Amino acid sequence: MKNNITMRDIADKLGVSSVTVSKALNDKDGVSDELKQKIKVLAEEMGYRYNALAKSMKEGLSYNIGVIIPERFAGMDHQSFYLNVYQSITRVLESHEYYGILHILNSKDEKQLQLPRIYHEKKVDGFIILGQISKEYIEKIESIELPKVFLDFYDEHADIDSVVTDNFNGAYEMTNYLIQNGHREIGYVGNLYSTSSIQDRFLGYYKSLLEHNLKLNETYILDDRDEHGSYIDIKIPDQMPTAFVCNCDQVAHNLIQKLTKLGINVPDDCSVVSFDNDVYATITSPGLTTVEVDIEEMASHAVNFILAKIKDETKSFGRVLVKGKIVYRNSVKKIG
Amino acid sequence: MKNNITMRDIADKLGVSSVTVSKALNDKDGVSDELKQKIKVLAEEMGYRYNALAKSMKEGLSYNIGVIIPERFAGMDHQSFYLNVYQSITRVLESHEYYGILHILNSKDEKQLQLPRIYHEKKVDGFIILGQISKEYIEKIESIELPKVFLDFYDEHADIDSVVTDNFNGAYEMTNYLIQNGHREIGYVGNLYSTSSIQDRFLGYYKSLLEHNLKLNETYILDDRDEHGSYIDIKIPDQMPTAFVCNCDQVAHNLIQKLTKLGINVPDDCSVVSFDNDVYATITSPGLTTVEVDIEEMASHAVNFILAKIKDETKSFGRVLVKGKIVYRNSVKKIG
DNA sequence: CTGAAAGCGCTTACAG
DNA sequence: CTGAAAGCGCTTACAG
């Protein structure tokens, strides 16, 4: 490091103390405006760069937040939805003079309950966990003393702060919309034993059926993935409903491809709605009517929570739901 | 910070000095094996966590690398190809006890030549710039004294280290492949004035034509995007070639959708090959024969270069090409 | 308004 | 093999 100008260098040139330089550069009281101005100008001239590390040392804060994404959510398979969320997170963090350090949690570490090195090296002041992790890993994470926030999933334990989309309500409104369009035989696509968001979306769908006095027909509930989360070939029932609620856009895409192959046209023969409004929503033909997850809002909540918890560790927010927004396209047909 | 155990705390409990603890924990010479063992056990017991910040301060290194992605490459539009690269980068960095800090460079900052705050705060020891930035911003980046590596693009200035896919060779081999399959009328899709990778791929395609004594037909060169990089409606020529080389999978996808609408079947009426092997390669029907960019290899090079330059600032690598690999699917038909 | 002193938690010579 | 001293670059009381 050659170009290493410190506050002391500036102080020496001006014949003042480094304390005064510190105050001036941080716009704190205790320096005359005149001197402050002089110092700022000289700092600029000398190409001074603030050393955030020193402040960190003093305060015991790294000003970094670790963002943990399980590797199965970070790959191509999931359309990097989570990477887009990560991007929003870093943007919000930056506006608070914080930075994100991404940690992809690989399956081996998850199984062996290995915490990321950024934890062991005190490189971060807290963790945002983005995407469902195993029960055991949740417990491991809980055991550490740093603030943490779960994003896009939650655990039955009430004492962990989490930010999730309002899956229940979104699916409920989606199903209502189908019913408004005359549909009475409505199926659901998603493995109910896979993730909590699939479950919640299912329950929202179910509530809408109940409210409208419609029977839940079990042959209309289709599996979309196996227990490891890998997508499987969707089995189309002999007896078809007039519409499907899919748990996500990618699955809707898979479903529509499958239906098309069987000569079933969407939306003419069968309507389809889904969740996420990711690339699959527009890539699919017809475009999908879907619930858009409010990524910005979720990221913003998660960041605000974690920063509040760093400042005051007694703060607690519980489970916070972020409402989605229906985006209308052409995958639903009015019938009846 | 309550649970703040330091080396000194361990030292005090054992009646030794913190120097000895430091040596023991870092497996350095100068401590008896016996004592070293004792120290390690106690550290574990006390829940000691190493403070990387202190080391950073001492050495003047943050052990972070800034990864700059222009925002236009980070959004949905580009299918987060770069976010996947970022993921590989962080993985390689972690294996070197380094961490990545992602900075999405927004268009305003790029225009105003605003350097990221992580630079001004000495939060990073170097930069990997991922994705083409403006000439002016390149100059700005060049002016800073930290090591930097350009990834997936390069500049005419020879003195900047960069890692890029071998676009020229990939397109050349792809076109050869089409010719082997009997094609003689081959088009190219991509705005030649947009990015250097589109240009290089075009030139590889052109070289293959030249080598096989095939004429370059200008009406077969189709624009895919405007000067801002936004995709445009592709204009299909009246006189069609029998095959197209597309500059990327997404554009191939757009092209195929367009052709399909016009009743032109791929690959029966027209073959298509492309670049990237991203989601669009498998989402498109038929699956695309395409060149896969070796993300791992590129990330690994970029990281190794930047770390080498941090250790020894005189190190220089120039422009390094990483070969891609053809993935064969069903978008090419043998003819003639 | 200005500054001397102490400290954040390590590591690097150097001395014993 | 072990440790006292100094220093990395700031900031926070506190004194003048």
Side-chain angles (χ1 to χ4, degrees), chain B residues 72-73 77-78 111 191 194 225-231:
Chain B
R72 64 180 166 287
F73 293 134
D77 245 32
H78 274 260
K111 241 176 222 137
N191 183 337
S194 179
R225 64 192 75 189
D226 61 24
E227 61 274 24
H228 308 300
S230 304
Y231 291 123

Side-chain angles (χ1 to χ4, degrees), chain B residues 84-98:
Chain B
N84 283 315
V85 178
Y86 175 69
Q87 197 185 311
S88 290
I89 291 174
T90 62
R91 213 175 291 152
V92 183
L93 282 173
E94 267 204 62
S95 70
H96 293 276
E97 317 212 9
Y98 254 85

Side-chain angles (χ1 to χ4, degrees), chain B residues 34-46:
Chain B
E34 210 179 340
L35 182 52
K36 185 192 283 189
Q37 208 43 44
K38 244 202 212 145
I39 289 173
K40 285 192 172 179
V41 170
L42 184 59
E44 180 73 19
E45 267 178 36
M46 295 174 73

Side-chain angles (χ1 to χ4, degrees), chain B residues 4 7 22 26 28 48 50 58:
Chain B
N4 207 15
M7 287 189 180
S22 170
N26 287 297
K28 293 211 168 146
Y48 170 74
Y50 181 79
K58 195 83 170 66

Side-chain angles (χ1 to χ4, degrees), chain B residues 39-266:
Chain B
I39 289 173
K40 285 192 172 179
V41 170
L42 184 59
E44 180 73 19
E45 267 178 36
M46 295 174 73
Y48 170 74
R49 283 194 296 146
Y50 181 79
N51 189 333
L53 249 48
K55 191 190 179 196
S56 288
M57 268 281 292
K58 195 83 170 66
E59 303 189 357
L61 289 175
S62 66
Y63 293 97
N64 293 137
I65 297 293
V67 179
I68 298 179
I69 306 182
E71 88 181 317
R72 64 180 166 287
F73 293 134
M76 293 296 208
D77 245 32
H78 274 260
Q79 263 328 290
S80 333
F81 168 71
Y82 283 146
L83 286 175
N84 283 315
V85 178
Y86 175 69
Q87 197 185 311
S88 290
I89 291 174
T90 62
R91 213 175 291 152
V92 183
L93 282 173
E94 267 204 62
S95 70
H96 293 276
E97 317 212 9
Y98 254 85
Y99 299 92
I101 294 186
L102 176 64
H103 179 82
I104 306 288
L105 177 63
N106 69 52
S107 312
K108 194 168 135 249
D109 286 353
E110 189 176 350
K111 241 176 222 137
Q112 296 177 188
L113 306 182
Q114 203 73 47
L115 290 171
R117 189 157 50 204
I118 39 175
Y119 166 70
H120 289 112
E121 293 183 356
K122 296 194 179 167
K123 275 262 199 178
V124 295
D125 303 335
F127 283 107
I128 292 175
I129 296 99
L130 183 46
Q132 187 124 33
I133 50 178
S134 70
K135 284 247 180 293
E136 294 74 22
Y137 207 85
I138 289 178
E139 275 171 34
K140 184 76 183 177
I141 288 276
E142 267 191 272
S143 76
I144 71 179
E145 72 289 2
L146 293 180
K148 48 246 159 197
V149 170
F150 290 171
L151 187 49
D152 201 42
F153 78 106
Y154 61 89
D155 190 61
E156 66 222 55
H157 305 274
D159 53 336
I160 295 179
D161 296 317
S162 57
V163 179
V164 291
T165 338
D166 195 341
N167 289 309
F168 182 85
N169 189 262
Y172 169 71
E173 291 189 356
M174 261 317 198
T175 313
N176 286 348
Y177 172 70
L178 287 173
I179 294 173
Q180 283 158 24
N181 276 275
H183 295 274
R184 293 291 173 272
E185 304 282 314
I186 303 173
Y188 181 82
V189 186
N191 183 337
L192 271 35
Y193 303 96
S194 179
T195 70
S196 59
S197 65
I198 295 184
Q199 284 164 8
D200 296 346
R201 290 169 187 185
F202 167 73
L203 293 172
Y205 146 86
Y206 192 16
K207 174 174 168 69
S208 172
L209 294 189
L210 288 172
E211 268 193 8
H212 292 86
N213 271 311
L214 299 176
K215 267 259 165 61
L216 183 72
N217 185 335
E218 287 200 357
T219 64
Y220 291 167
I221 314 297
L222 275 37
D223 270 358
D224 63 331
R225 64 192 75 189
D226 61 24
E227 61 274 24
H228 308 300
S230 304
Y231 291 123
I232 59 172
D233 192 48
I234 300 171
K235 282 201 192 110
I236 309 296
D238 299 333
Q239 176 83 329
M240 277 278 289
T242 64
F244 277 110
V245 176
C246 296
N247 80 84
C248 72
D249 290 335
Q250 187 168 2
V251 161
H253 177 80
N254 293 349
L255 175 70
I256 290 178
Q257 284 207 315
K258 182 86 187 181
L259 292 176
T260 305
K261 268 186 199 148
L262 296 174
I264 302 172
N265 183 282
V266 176

Side-chain angles (χ1 to χ4, degrees), chain A residues 95 122 153 159 204 306:
Chain A
S95 70
K122 295 194 180 170
F153 77 106
D159 53 338
I306 200 92

